Amino acid sequence: MMRAALIALAALHGLAGVAGAAIGAHGDVAASVSTAATMQSLHALAALAALALLEGRAAYVTAALFIVGALLFAGALYASGLGGFSLGPTAPTGGVIMMLGWALFAIMGFTRSANSPPR
């Protein structure tokens, strides 16, 4: 039970981190690129964690949400910060997709059986 709750709480912290980064990304060029890199790196690790900690289809769906969301979010910030052009609502769309990944990760943590042995 404790392990599952910690996984879920960590996932909720990740969800809040994505939301905070999205709010903070509306600064100068360097901040946008830094935010893009941070989100891209963080969600690469999150995808690996989902594959290691979750089972079945949930592992693949969660990892895919992290990967696709980070690609859209970071790609839009890179385009803006490095190329000087906008990809429209691509960054917020990617942010929402990453938050969905964190929400699914949290749901899986909360719904995992208390008697499930750790992997």
Side-chain angles (χ1 to χ4, degrees):
M1 173 93 161
M2 176 64 84
R3 181 176 180 273
L6 289 173
I7 290 170
L9 290 172
L12 291 174
H13 276 283
L15 189 154
V18 173
I23 292 166
H26 300 283
D28 63 4
V29 171
S32 294
V33 172
S34 177
T35 299
T38 299
M39 288 295 101
Q40 193 171 24
S41 300
L42 173 76
H43 287 87
L45 293 174
L48 293 172
L51 292 170
L53 296 172
L54 300 177
E55 297 173 356
R57 186 168 186 235
Y60 300 114
V61 172
T62 303
L65 288 169
F66 289 146
I67 291 167
V68 170
L71 176 67
L72 294 173
F73 185 87
L77 292 182
Y78 286 138
S80 174
L82 299 174
F85 61 93
S86 173
L87 294 178
T90 304
T93 300
V96 168
I97 292 169
M98 289 185 292
M99 287 188 269
L100 289 172
W102 284 112
L104 180 57
F105 215 155
I107 290 166
M108 296 310 297
F110 281 125
T111 60
R112 189 174 175 147
S113 168
N115 295 323
S116 296
R119 289 180 77 182

